[in-house]
Amino acid sequence: MTFFADTKKLPPDALLQLITDFRNDPSPDKIDLGVGVYQDENGKTPIFEAVELAQRRLQADEESKTYLGPLGWPGLADEVRKLVLGTTLEEKLADRFAVLPTPGSSGALKSTGTLVHRLNAAAKIWLPDPTWANHIPIFQSCDLVTKTYAYYDNDATSLDREKMYADLEKADAGDVIVVHGACHNPTGEDLSAEDWQYLTTLALEKGIVPFIDIAYQGLGQGFEEDMENVRGLLDVVPEAIICYSFSKNMGLYRERVGAALVLTENTEIAGRVQSNLNEIARRSYSMPPSYGGALAWYVLSDPDLNASWRKELEQMRKRVLSLRCQVTDALSAEFGDNRFQYIKSQNGMFSRLPLEPEQIAQLKSEASIYMAGDGRVNMCGFTPTKIARFTDLLVKVAK
Ligand code: LMR
């Protein structure tokens, strides 16, 4: 028997497989509502102008490819912290933070999950039901016990608030509660300001650590607006974990740029947490890739590039919003009722359609329409022509 002979074949990741399936589909009418990637009206995922300029500057400035260390590109960690905190909180809280730039936000989830397990192996990590498809696998790979709390009522197409609060009451001191900062993936249904207040009180009264996953800043209510609730919480809780992604809002998907930020009670503890994060990085991937981190640093630290980035992001946000309205109106007209109105009021790229797996498979095989297996659709995949084709088919499949 050879070493690898018994290896079991695993299925490909369902979401990532959609990328390949869509690419290989020869249909001229195919519609990509699958993976959470911004697309313009031509179906292209553009490079931000600010990022293009940053690439040129980096090429002109960079003199060496030597190692940089666990924090990656110099200055990036500080810029990400400033971005997350905003001016007022930066002055107040900066020295209570440990920050680790990571290979994508997945690297941040893995590193902070490892840290949580290291500090409290009995900690349960609570995730919304539903949540991003890779959350539970990543945390389980950190040997953490994962639990879910009720979040979205599929039939009511709204937050399942009562059940959510009842489930969160079950969390114990030392547990971790994961919330999505804005633009909940996969539902687009966000927590209200009151829900954030509830979470803050829970953290304060029960000693629970809030864990905020921010992957869509700027694509929900607005660039600063999307951080209001997050900052409100950070202002008062003693401890929190944040994972930040630049994949969507800076379009750096393949460059893998993210960061883990940990708020601690004081500077001294922050220093010890930082040393653990650095060590966790070292023993898994050693240090983050520098190229994408450098681009993010140029964009964040240069006022002109920063302004250009935010302007372009705001245009994207508005396009997604407009698509939400167009899709809602088209579906309402086609179905002759108001069942899809919820799509208009949700945030970010995603909403969920009430479809069975067989219907989703049928739309893919018969009409080349690609969406996640739970009925999640990425609004960016629509154009007016595609909306018409989609609603026409959906009414046949789902009525
Ligand atoms: C998604 O949810 O589609 C994206 O975040 C891509 C991914 O890595 O799953």
Side-chain angles (χ1 to χ4, degrees):
M1 179 66 68
T2 53
F3 187 77
F4 296 111
D6 271 348
T7 315
K8 287 194 181 58
K9 178 138 175 99
L10 299 178
D13 179 88
L15 262 177
L16 299 185
Q17 184 61 30
L18 286 177
I19 302 174
T20 315
D21 291 351
F22 183 80
R23 204 171 282 151
N24 294 339
D25 187 334
S27 166
D29 297 324
K30 61 186 178 180
I31 302 179
D32 180 9
L33 310 174
V35 179
V37 167
Y38 179 82
Q39 301 168 42
D40 64 16
E41 44 289 341
N42 302 311
K44 297 271 175 300
T45 302
I47 301 176
F48 280 74
E49 235 175 87
V51 170
E52 281 194 3
L53 287 169
Q55 295 196 115
R56 280 185 229 143
R57 285 206 199 155
L58 176 62
Q59 199 169 16
D61 293 351
E62 198 176 39
E63 286 174 345
S64 172
K65 294 285 185 192
T66 190
Y67 291 126
L68 287 172
L71 297 189
W73 189 260
L76 177 63
D78 287 340
E79 289 300 330
V80 179
R81 193 196 55 242
K82 284 190 227 163
L83 177 71
V84 167
L85 292 180
T87 324
T88 316
L89 281 192
E90 166 69 9
E91 273 178 31
K92 192 172 163 185
L93 299 179
D95 58 3
R96 283 173 50 200
F97 265 91
V99 186
L100 184 76
T102 49
S105 186
S106 296
L109 293 164
K110 176 77 181 176
S111 302
T112 48
T114 306
L115 179 71
V116 168
H117 186 265
R118 177 177 289 184
L119 298 177
N120 179 13
K124 299 181 287 301
I125 188 152
W126 294 78
L127 294 129
D129 178 20
T131 193
W132 178 50
N134 211 20
H135 268 153
I136 291 178
I138 289 179
F139 290 130
Q140 285 179 343
S141 82
C142 303
D143 292 327
L144 283 167
V145 177
T146 55
K147 291 271 188 187
T148 55
Y149 60 88
Y151 186 83
Y152 190 67
D153 183 334
N154 264 325
D155 298 328
T157 59
S158 60
L159 271 192
D160 205 347
R161 188 163 280 113
E162 220 171 287
K163 277 202 193 144
M164 174 169 78
Y165 286 5
D167 282 348
L168 291 179
E169 291 296 333
K170 295 178 200 152
D172 297 308
D175 281 0
V176 173
I177 294 178
V178 177
V179 290
H180 298 213
C183 310
H184 179 265
N185 180 4
T187 68
E189 190 72 37
D190 283 340
L191 297 175
S192 68
E194 291 72 33
D195 298 326
W196 281 89
Q197 189 49 56
Y198 172 85
L199 181 69
T200 306
T201 310
L202 201 67
L204 288 171
E205 289 180 356
K206 268 188 123 177
I208 280 154
V209 183
F211 186 123
I212 308 160
D213 190 3
I214 304 173
Y216 294 89
Q217 185 190 354
L219 285 158
Q221 300 283 322
F223 196 77
E224 296 300 334
E225 290 83 347
D226 286 348
M227 296 302 285
E228 266 171 30
N229 290 318
V230 176
R231 290 176 185 152
L233 177 135
L234 294 177
D235 196 14
V236 283
V237 295
E239 302 180 311
I241 297 169
I242 298 154
C243 290
Y244 195 96
S245 171
F246 287 104
S247 292
K248 334 276 172 174
N249 73 355
M250 212 181 270
L252 290 172
Y253 308 90
R254 68 174 67 162
E255 303 300 352
R256 313 307 300 135
V257 191
L261 300 94
V262 181
L263 172 67
T264 67
E265 259 188 299
N266 60 47
T267 312
E268 192 267 326
I269 300 174
R272 283 189 271 135
V273 168
Q274 185 73 56
S275 73
N276 275 261
L277 287 174
N278 294 358
E279 191 262 357
I280 287 166
R282 176 63 173 154
R283 62 159 62 195
S284 50
Y285 54 86
S286 190
M287 60 193 82
S290 90
Y291 185 77
L295 301 181
W297 176 81
Y298 276 93
V299 172
L300 293 171
S301 61
D302 180 294
D304 291 338
L305 295 190
N306 196 307
S308 152
W309 166 51
R310 291 189 191 206
K311 193 168 156 212
E312 212 174 326
L313 181 59
E314 178 61 10
Q315 285 162 0
M316 289 181 177
R317 188 183 78 83
K318 291 207 168 119
R319 174 160 182 274
V320 179
L321 256 183
S322 146
L323 286 167
R324 278 191 175 282
C325 295
Q326 293 173 50
V327 170
T328 311
D329 294 345
L331 285 171
S332 303
E334 197 73 50
F335 281 75
D337 58 37
N338 281 334
R339 77 181 90 166
F340 293 104
Q341 283 304 312
Y342 67 94
I343 295 176
K344 239 182 211 174
S345 60
Q346 292 177 334
N347 285 322
M349 293 183 183
F350 308 125
S351 279
R352 247 183 177 185
L353 296 178
L355 290 170
E356 297 301 326
E358 307 76 56
Q359 296 169 321
I360 294 163
Q362 192 188 345
L363 283 166
K364 183 179 171 196
S365 62
E366 291 176 15
S368 295
I369 292 175
Y370 291 76
M371 64 176 78
D374 61 354
R376 185 192 82 175
V377 293
N378 175 5
M379 297 296 150
C380 307
F382 285 115
T383 60
T385 323
K386 287 177 181 168
I387 291 175
R389 177 166 179 261
F390 177 75
T391 50
D392 194 43
L393 285 160
L394 197 72
V395 80
K396 292 186 187 118
V397 170
K399 208 162 189 176

